[in-house]
Every structure is written in C-alpha cells, then in structure tokens.
Amino acid sequence: MMQALKSPRLGGLSALSCVLIILPFTLSNSFQLDVAIQVGIAAIVVVGLNLLVGFAGQISLGHAGFMGMGAYMSAILSGTYGWSPLLALIFAAICVGGLAFLIGGPILRLKGHYLSMATLGLGIIIAIVINTESWLTGGPDGLVVEPLSLFGWALSPFDEYHLLGISLSGTQVWYILIASLLVFAVWLALNIIDSPTGRALRAVHGSEIAAQVVGVNTAHYKVKVFVISAVFASVMGSLSAHYTGFITPNIAGFHHSIELITMVVLGGMASTYGVILGAVILVLLPQVLADLQEFEMLAFGLILMVTMIFMPKGLLPTLLNLLNKPKQKTTSEEAA
Amino acid sequence: MLAELLQYLFTGVTLGATYALVALGFTLIYNASHVINFAQGEFLMIGGMSTFFLLEAGLPLPIAILLSVLLAGALGIALQKFAIAPAKNADVVTLIIITIGASIFLRGLAQLVWDKEIHAVPAFSGDTPLVIGGATLLPQNLWVLGISVIVVLALVYFFTRTLTGKAILATSMNADAAKLVGIKTQFILMLAFALSAILGAVAGVVVAPITFTAYDIGIMLGLKGFVAAAIGGLGNGVGAIVGGLILGVTETLAAGYISSDYKDAVPFVIILLILFFLPNGLFGSRSTERV
Amino acid sequence: MSTPIIQVEGLSKVFGGVHAIENLSFSIQQGHIHSVIGPNGAGKTTLFNLITGIYTPTHGDIKLKGESIVGLDPSQLAPRGMCRTFQNLQICMNMTALENVMIGQHLQFKSSLLATLFRLPCVVQADQQAREKAAELMDFVGCAKYLNTEASAMPYGALKRLEIARALAAKPDILLLDEPAAGLNGAETAELDTLIQKVAQSGVTVVLVEHDMKLVMNISDYLLVLDYGKKLAEGTPEEIRHNPDVIAAYLGG
Ligand SMILES: Nc1ncnc2c1ncn2[C@@H]1O[C@H](COP(=O)(O)OP(=O)(O)OP(=O)(O)O)[C@@H](O)[C@H]1O
Ligand SMILES: [Mg+2]
C-alpha cells in the first residue's frame, strides 16, 4: 500500500534528460541544432501554458501576447536603454506577471467561449500595440536584439566558447542552456501538479463547484496559474529574442497564440511530456511540409483536423492508452 | 463637421451590417451545436474570391454570385459532416483547434485553386456616389445594407414561419427532446452549417467591391464577427445584429477621430470592456447555473 | 438547549417566476441527523444550495453557528466547518479517487508557492501525510479498493461514497448530503445507513436529503418536510409519520 501511495516522477525526468543529452550527437549540423533550440523554447512555453489549459482547464488564445511582451521588453530595455539582459528579462517577467495578475481577475471569471474571446482579444491588442508603436518597437519591420550577456560575458550563436577545456559554438552553448531550462521547467511543472496547489488546479477543471465547497478559492488559483503561465511565456520570449537576435510583431500575433495552444491540445492536454511532443511536431511540421510548397497550408490544416478528430485526447495520451490497454487487463485480473 | 460624422456613420453602418451577417453565422452554428466555428470568416473569403474568378471566367454577376454562395453552402455542409460531426464529444478547445484547422485548410485550398493576389470585385451598380448631407454614399453601400436587411428578414421568416426553421430552433433549445419528437438532428446541424456558410458568403460578396478580397481576408473578418456575436451574447440573434452594428460604427468612429492604426484593436477593446462587466454579453442569459 | 448550528429565517429563492423556496424558517440542532424530505421539485436541493452559498437568497437570513452567512461563497464556508455532497455527482473525473479525497484536505495542507515550486521537504512530508489520511477515509467509506483508480473508471455507487469521503476530508462540523442513496442497491443503502450513523457519532451534524423513507425514518433525529418550497411539517420521525398533512401530501399527491 505504501508503494501505491508514492508518485513516480524521477523516471520521466531522467528519460527526458537522456534524450536531451544524446540528441545533439545525432544532429549533423548547426541548422538542426537551431531547430532543436526553437523546439526547446516552444516546449518550455507550452509546459507553462499546459498548467493553465490542460490542468486548470482555462483556455487561452492569447498567450503569444505575453511571449511578445517579454521579447520586446527585453529587446528594448537591453538595446535602446542599455540594461543588462538578465535584469531586463526579470523586469519583463515581473511586468508581464503583473499584467496577467491585474487582468486575470476579471477575465478568468469568464467561461468557455467567452474566455477564449477575451484571451484572444488580449493577445491581439498586445500584438497591435507592438505593431503600431514603431518609434519604440520598430513596428512591422522588426527589431534587432542584443545577444544575451551575463556579467559582461556575451552569448552569441556566432561565437566560439571554451568551457572546461572543450570548445563549443555559441549555438551549442545555447542548446545546453535551453535544454537545461527545459528540464528545470518540467521539474517545476511536475512539482506544481503533484502538490496541493496542483490538485486545486485540476479540481478547478474537474468540478469547480466541488473545489469551492471544500474551501478552494478557485478564482485565486485561476489567477495564480494564469500568472505562472504568463511568466513562463515572458521569460521564454525574452530568451528567444536574445537567441534569434531579431524579432518581429509576429511573435505576439494571433497565429503564434494558436500555434502554442495547438501544441498543447495536439500533444495531449494535462500531459507534461505530451505537450513537449506537441512542440516538437508543430515546430518540425512546417519544416517538413515546406517541401510541399503551395500545398503546405492545405496539408497543415488537414493534419491538424484529422489528428484532432481521431485523437481528441492528444497524441501522447492516445499512444499511452494503446500501449497500456493489454497491461490494464492484467492488473484488473490481479485485483479480482 | 457634421458631414464628416455622417460619412463615418455611413461607412460604420455598412461595415456593421457585414459584421452582423458574420455574427449571425456564428450564432446559428453556436445555437445548433455549441461550436464556435473559427472557419466562419473563410466563407466570406470564398464568397468574394469565387465571385471574382467566376466573373473573370465570363459569367454574369448574378450567376457568379449564386454559384459562389452555393459553393460556400456545400463547403459548410462538408465542414459539418467531415470535421465537426466525427468529433461530437470533444472538448471546447479541441473543437476550436479543429475549426482552426479547417480554416487553414480552406485558406490553403483558396490560394491553390485561385491565387494569393488581392482582387477587387466590380461594384454591382456603378461607382457614382450619392451625396447626402455633404457625405458621400456609394451605391455598393446601399447594396450591402439592402441585402443585409433582406437576409435578416428572410431569416426571421424562416425561423418563425417555416417548419424547418422551427425545427432548428427546437434542436438548439433541447437536442434530445427534438430527437424524441422525430426531428432529424444530424440533418438540422448540416442545415445550420450550410445556412451559416451562405450568410458568410453573401456578406463576403457584397463587401468585396468595397474592401477587396484575397485568400487571407477571412481571419480578421471572422474574428470580428466572433466579437460581434459575443458582444450581443453568444446564441442571441438580435444580439448578433446589434453587436455587429456597434462594432462597425465604433470601429469607424475610432479610426476617424482617434487613430486609424488602432482600428483593428477597437473591437477587442470593446469586447474586453463588455465582458469585464457583463460576462455573458449584452443580451446573454443571466440565469443561475444549476448544480 | 444550545444555539442551533443552523438557523434559517424567512428564506426565499425565486427563479424567474418560480418560488423554489418560500418564506422558510427552521433550525438544525448540533449533533443531530436532520433530514429534509419532500416530493420532486419541492426545493430540497435549492435549500442546500442556499445554505452552502452556491445560490444567494432572494430574501431571508441563514446563520451558521450564530453568524449570518448570506453573501459568502462556498469556499468561505468550508473554513467555517460546512461541507456537502451533490445530488448530481461533482467528482473530478480528471483525477484519481485518492486525489479526489485529497482535494477535501485543501485547507489543512496548503503550502506556499515557493515551497511548492521547489518541492521542499515540508511539502513532501505533508503530501505523504495527506495521502495516508485520504486513504484512511476511503477505507472508512468503503472505497479502499479504488485507491489509485481513475475516478472516471469507478462505478456510480463508489463515486457517491467517494463524495462523502471528500467532504469528510474537509473535517466539517456540519455535513449536508443530497440524496446519497439515490441509485444505490439495497445492500449499498444498508452500508450507507451505518456510514451516516458512524459520521454522526463522531460529532458531525448531518443534514440529509433523501427519498428512501426507510433510511430516513431509521436514522433521523428530526425531519423537515418541504412541499412547493414551503414548510409542510417538521418534527421527530414519529411525529412526521402521524402528521395528517404529510400523509395527505404523500398519499394524495
Ligand atoms: N438554477 C435554477 N434555475 C431555475 N430554476 C431552478 C434552478 N434550480 C432549481 N430550480 C427550480 O426550483 C424548483 C425546486 O428544485 P429543486 O432542485 O430544489 O428540487 P428538489 O426538491 O431537490 O427535487 P428532487 O427531489 O427532484 O431533487 C424546481 O421547480 C426547479 O425547476
Ligand atoms: Mg434535488
């Protein structure tokens, strides 16, 4: 019985770490490594978004707005105003978290389609502001971003670095940074999920009324998880801006928001590893489909529809279900 | 001064009428199936684009319009049958992603079958403007308003006087009960999607001479239609029309008097403000949730 | 007599034109099993929803332990010692049975965000404790074999008891049960009978809405009979059994 009461977490984390360690050795060039970094950035954002959407059951169709705010605040503060990038990143995260906190109260009282409408609107407004205030943001033409630097040590993808006697390209250092952050983010997410806070969040999804009746202040928890997921997005927006060195308002746009939520739903809501799979697929798919040229959009739309129609629970949960089915039979036989 | 205001009102009401038609499309589908169809805007695009290319091919305008509207209707049915019906019990988010997938698919199809250029459909009856109180009114504006009014009247007649219309209403109120009294709910759902696609296409055709058309115009128009539907309260027909008009007029006034750069942000600011105070829109039901 | 744990005065709730509860006054004594009975649509669930803060009354006052609780929401009532179950199951189907019960312990095992994020040893320890207690409660209500089962895979009768376990996990002084026996078979109802009495013996006031007259008459200390939102009668089971109005309503209606 004691064994049954323990929750497994180390297994998944070590498997993820192994994959992340082996991966760079299987990639043949820096272009592929770059794609891997993009996947990692998206994955961290959606691990945070999944806390809101998958676990607490609150839709957000505007999360790219938070990512865009983080990216632009970092770019502007570190570029135009000469702040240290780390300070800018933290300041941006606090501002985005503050905005999410202020607006989360009234927005998260809404339910279902009204909530999607409001979050969608919020994201679009942020994107339009970024697009319009070109004196500050460069407008649709985009903005060049300083490389990330820590205590005077700049991390540019184009430089060479020496760490403990090993020579690494800037892209490789970035990979190590993002991969470590991904493991860290997953660890944080798992910690939240498997805690009183996480159970309260899942109860908000499962039955809000039941949660309230046992004393869960559901409004408080919804705002809390909204802020957490917004901060995840902001931090990754900042890092992504420093990594690519150039940002456009698209990072905050409606399409990007849709991409993020699709990663969550396609990979598997409420499955932390599932949404990482979702990020992998949604970043890779356009690369693969690019070969189809004018058929790209058609194919992308079709794949999206077909996957969601036939696997409404998302890829990973569906796959695990298939694998587990024979096993479940044996456990129920044991119990009988 | 007054002429300027009048001009904005003309433009705003015309735009508002278009939004109202799109919003009615959302409302129809929402009532019948509780789905928010993010592909709704694509039907406007299909209406406009198809009309343009059929005209290019030498067909007369009325035939081109009729065929385009029918094409949209058929696509609406296909959307329901192949994308929505198989995913009946899916989550709200899952259905959102499916309709977004459908909208990307339709956009991809449009740029493949037609092209990626911006096109102007010629005005239905010339470009000679009428001058009223110092403001100009294009004949096409009158077409938009006139056709919107006709469509709304036709809808009212359909839902209050015909058996099929009443069956749709009955299904939207209680699908199980409707099934029990022998209404074929699957047929009703397909009909709702067809009607809503037709509404979208009609809106798309009549505004195409004013706003131009291209394979990707559907996104913003669709989103604004969704906003209009939500302003009134999802599922409320009158609300959708009022929402559409409020949206069109405020958007034009804001563009004229405040800043045209923020024109597209106006609908979203309005809806956020409304939802802050009225979580179910202006006319949405405020009944107590049962437990 | 000590102050009643619940005092309801002049309570009304109107939906549109329907008077679901109309000018209702009664009180519930500490430690009692107090049943509310009445035909379908009499307003029993509405009464529960009013007492537990899910609906706000149109008129009237409700006092819990002498303090008015009108206008408070359900999550503010749990810390004051009130908890309930639902006629239509409110189970979190996205969680395991054990986690559903652990939700009930929310107020006892909250932790700071920082401790949660980094899963500090205090969180691990509290979690372990919470799990063990929840497992005990599941055993208490007779759901021990479903410990790690997904709630969505459990049979209806077990879910009804799981709701009771979750409510008990909140350590209430007063527990409201809305038709706990509905849908249960004879054997399960008998088990429930014992379970409710065990709960009452541990000092918890139980308010029970139930259609199963045998169960109600058997275990109640006091009854309130509702009809069309109004009080038809109240008294001990013996008094109710012989009340002519009640007999008329139940046999004549
Ligand atoms: N949220 C609501 N909105 C509108 N009417 C309601 C609502 N809740 C209850 N009612 C109405 O109030 C009346 C009382 O209903 P209630 O559910 O309280 O009855 P009940 O005694 O619990 O019945 P049952 O034994 O069937 O559970 C009914 O007429 C019902 O339709
Ligand atoms: Mg009831």
Side-chain angles (χ1 to χ4, degrees):
Chain A
M1 173 139 149
M2 282 334 288
Q3 201 52 41
L5 290 176
K6 286 234 165 68
S7 55
R9 57 205 297 114
L10 242 54
L13 267 180
S14 11
L16 176 68
S17 311
C18 284
V19 171
L20 289 172
I21 291 171
I22 295 168
L23 185 68
F25 298 102
T26 65
L27 301 177
S28 50
N29 55 40
S30 67
F31 171 73
Q32 291 179 346
L33 200 61
D34 171 64
V35 173
I37 294 170
Q38 303 285 1
V39 169
I41 291 172
I44 300 172
V45 176
V46 293
V47 164
L49 182 57
N50 188 34
L51 293 173
L52 176 73
V53 180
F55 288 100
Q58 309 297 307
I59 306 173
S60 171
L61 298 185
H63 243 59
F66 296 130
M67 203 175 165
M69 272 185 77
Y72 271 89
M73 285 186 73
S74 267
I76 293 164
L77 289 176
S78 70
T80 319
Y81 296 97
W83 287 34
S84 117
L86 188 65
L87 195 63
L89 177 146
I90 293 171
F91 182 74
I94 292 172
C95 288
V96 169
L99 175 72
F101 178 77
L102 285 181
I103 208 147
I107 275 193
L108 292 161
R109 275 188 312 156
L110 304 172
K111 296 205 162 31
H113 293 300
Y114 289 103
L115 179 61
S116 12
M117 177 81 265
T119 50
L120 182 160
L122 178 65
I124 291 185
I125 291 171
I126 294 175
I128 291 178
V129 171
I130 293 177
N131 229 318
T132 309
E133 301 300 322
S134 39
W135 58 277
L136 188 65
T137 62
D141 295 337
L143 193 62
V144 175
V145 191
E146 304 274 307
L148 186 65
S149 64
L150 272 182
F151 314 113
W153 188 75
L155 177 53
S156 155
F158 309 107
D159 284 346
E160 284 283 324
Y161 297 89
H162 300 279
L163 276 181
L164 310 166
I166 310 165
S167 143
L168 292 169
S169 74
T171 312
Q172 283 167 326
V173 180
W174 264 104
Y175 177 85
I176 295 171
L177 175 67
I178 296 294
S180 329
L181 275 180
L182 177 58
V183 175
F184 181 61
V186 170
W187 182 67
L188 289 183
L190 292 178
N191 286 347
I192 293 177
I193 294 156
D194 189 16
S195 76
T197 305
R199 281 188 291 275
L201 289 177
R202 280 183 288 160
V204 167
H205 191 184
S207 164
E208 196 165 341
I209 198 79
Q212 285 174 349
V213 159
V214 293
V216 179
N217 183 342
T218 52
H220 166 82
Y221 278 93
K222 285 196 240 176
V223 172
K224 199 171 186 173
V225 71
F226 193 59
V227 171
I228 294 177
S229 66
V231 168
F232 266 70
S234 170
V235 169
M236 292 326 288
S238 297
L239 285 176
S240 154
H242 286 300
Y243 170 65
T244 47
F246 182 74
I247 47 175
T248 69
N250 288 344
I251 190 174
F254 175 63
H255 283 285
H256 194 207
S257 285
I258 292 301
E259 238 176 277
L260 293 175
I261 189 114
T262 305
M263 291 175 190
V264 173
V265 182
L266 189 86
M269 282 202 282
S271 157
T272 302
Y273 297 106
V275 300
I276 297 177
L277 180 66
V280 172
I281 291 174
L282 246 73
V283 175
L284 290 186
L285 200 57
Q287 316 267 354
V288 177
L289 294 181
D291 289 342
L292 295 175
Q293 300 197 357
E294 67 265 40
F295 288 92
E296 184 189 333
M297 255 184 138
L298 200 73
F300 185 76
L302 198 63
I303 292 174
L304 211 56
M305 274 196 288
V306 171
T307 327
M308 289 330 304
I309 290 170
F310 293 105
M311 303 183 193
K313 294 253 168 289
L315 283 169
L316 196 66
T318 311
L319 290 178
L320 288 181
N321 239 347
L322 285 178
L323 289 176
N324 270 343
K325 251 195 196 127
K327 230 198 256 165
Q328 230 160 34
K329 213 175 248 167
T330 54
T331 44
S332 62
E333 273 160 18
E334 272 165 30
Chain B
M1 196 52 222
L2 200 67
E4 196 185 26
L5 178 65
L6 202 59
Q7 185 68 62
Y8 291 143
L9 286 180
F10 284 163
T11 318
V13 171
T14 310
L15 199 60
T18 324
Y19 293 156
L21 290 184
V22 190
L24 279 173
F26 272 106
T27 306
L28 252 170
I29 290 186
Y30 181 80
N31 273 339
S33 62
H34 274 263
V35 170
I36 284 293
N37 175 23
F38 275 84
Q40 192 64 24
E42 305 314 321
F43 296 123
L44 273 90
M45 176 273 289
I46 286 166
M49 287 290 271
S50 161
T51 305
F52 175 84
F53 278 93
L54 289 175
L55 284 175
E56 287 275 282
L59 288 181
L61 186 70
I63 307 283
I65 293 179
L66 186 69
L67 286 178
S68 305
V69 169
L70 288 179
L71 169 69
L75 286 172
I77 292 178
L79 175 67
Q80 200 281 330
K81 190 159 168 52
F82 297 115
I84 307 292
K88 228 183 320 191
N89 299 321
D91 270 7
V92 170
V93 215
T94 309
L95 279 166
I96 288 179
I97 307 281
I98 290 175
T99 58
I100 286 175
S103 88
I104 298 174
F105 178 80
L106 288 175
R107 231 175 293 148
L109 200 64
Q111 54 145 300
L112 197 66
V113 176
W114 299 311
D115 60 19
K116 290 185 171 186
E117 310 298 316
I118 296 174
H119 300 288
V121 173
F124 295 180
S125 53
D127 289 320
T128 331
L130 287 82
V131 181
I132 302 172
T136 55
L137 188 63
L138 292 170
Q140 192 64 31
N141 288 40
L142 291 177
W143 275 105
V144 174
L145 293 174
I147 290 191
S148 304
V149 170
I150 292 172
V151 166
V152 169
L153 290 179
L155 279 179
V156 170
Y157 178 83
F158 178 69
F159 281 115
T160 53
R161 296 293 155 84
T162 69
L163 210 54
T164 324
K166 286 181 187 167
I168 296 186
L169 283 185
T171 310
S172 69
M173 281 171 205
N174 189 338
D176 293 328
K179 213 175 243 164
L180 280 180
V181 297
I183 296 173
K184 294 193 187 68
T185 47
Q186 170 56 26
F187 171 73
I188 293 294
L189 285 176
M190 266 161 44
L191 197 66
F193 273 78
L195 261 179
S196 140
I198 288 173
L199 277 178
V202 168
V205 175
V206 289
V207 292
I210 303 177
T211 58
F212 303 117
T213 186
Y215 81 102
D216 61 352
I217 58 148
I219 312 165
M220 219 13 158
L221 280 172
L223 290 180
K224 286 181 182 172
F226 181 20
V227 172
I231 288 180
L234 291 174
N236 185 312
V238 179
I241 298 172
V242 174
L245 291 174
I246 290 181
L247 209 60
V249 172
T250 34
E251 187 182 318
T252 319
L253 289 178
Y257 290 118
I258 304 172
S259 140
S260 64
D261 291 329
Y262 280 109
K263 178 172 80 68
D264 280 340
V266 171
F268 302 102
V269 174
I270 294 179
I271 190 64
L272 276 176
L273 288 179
I274 288 182
L275 290 182
F276 278 2
F277 298 106
L278 300 169
N280 294 306
L282 291 179
F283 306 103
S285 71
R286 267 176 271 295
S287 70
T288 332
E289 214 174 309
R290 270 181 204 235
V291 281
Chain C
M1 208 185 277
S2 60
T3 48
I5 188 160
I6 292 273
Q7 282 165 288
V8 170
E9 272 156 39
L11 190 68
S12 299
K13 178 70 185 177
V14 184
F15 294 110
V18 182
H19 288 257
I21 291 289
E22 206 175 341
N23 197 17
L24 182 66
S25 303
F26 70 100
S27 51
I28 296 174
Q29 295 304 322
Q30 177 110 38
H32 270 181
I33 297 181
H34 195 120
S35 291
V36 180
I37 60 172
N40 288 111
K44 306 178 294 292
T45 300
T46 305
L47 177 62
F48 268 28
N49 285 342
L50 288 165
I51 294 178
T52 54
I54 290 166
Y55 294 163
T56 24
T58 314
H59 289 295
D61 193 25
I62 304 165
K63 288 201 176 78
L64 172 64
K65 301 174 188 168
E67 258 181 78
S68 175
I69 51 169
V70 169
L72 297 185
D73 64 51
S75 67
Q76 293 169 301
L77 293 175
R80 290 164 203 247
M82 178 141 72
C83 205
R84 68 171 288 185
T85 66
F86 296 86
Q87 181 177 357
N88 301 315
L89 286 177
Q90 293 287 339
I91 294 280
C92 300
M93 294 300 181
N94 54 341
M95 297 160 83
T96 66
L98 188 75
E99 286 170 331
N100 265 284
V101 180
M102 289 171 83
I103 271 293
Q105 303 163 316
H106 180 75
L107 292 171
Q108 301 142 51
F109 289 97
K110 273 196 291 197
S111 53
S112 76
L113 183 61
L114 219 59
T116 302
L117 278 174
F118 296 101
R119 202 166 171 79
L120 300 180
C122 62
V123 179
V124 181
Q125 223 170 34
D127 233 43
Q128 192 54 33
Q129 226 181 322
R131 267 170 219 281
E132 282 162 25
K133 283 208 166 150
E136 274 170 32
L137 275 172
M138 286 188 66
D139 194 38
F140 180 70
V141 300
C143 287
K145 68 172 171 182
Y146 297 111
L147 217 51
N148 282 316
T149 312
E150 291 295 325
S152 53
M154 283 168 67
Y156 183 81
L159 289 176
K160 290 231 102 162
R161 277 175 292 176
L162 190 65
E163 273 214 342
I164 300 179
R166 179 181 66 201
L168 286 174
K171 295 196 177 157
D173 305 321
I174 175 163
L175 173 65
L176 294 87
L177 303 172
D178 197 350
E179 303 204 9
L184 301 193
N185 61 33
E188 285 173 325
T189 308
E191 280 174 36
L192 185 73
D193 183 326
T194 346
L195 177 62
I196 295 175
Q197 299 205 42
K198 267 200 284 182
V199 171
Q201 270 154 26
S202 69
V204 179
T205 309
V206 177
V207 191
L208 178 69
V209 163
E210 191 43 72
H211 283 294
D212 186 323
M213 279 307 139
K214 198 167 137 251
L215 176 72
V216 169
M217 292 298 177
N218 198 11
I219 65 175
S220 305
D221 295 304
Y222 209 75
L223 282 97
L224 167 69
V225 189
L226 287 184
D227 198 16
Y228 294 108
K230 288 185 223 144
K231 175 158 59 176
L232 187 67
E234 64 180 332
T236 62
E238 205 49 37
E239 287 162 5
I240 294 300
R241 215 189 300 270
H242 299 112
N243 184 308
D245 289 339
V246 178
I247 296 171
Y250 268 79
L251 297 180

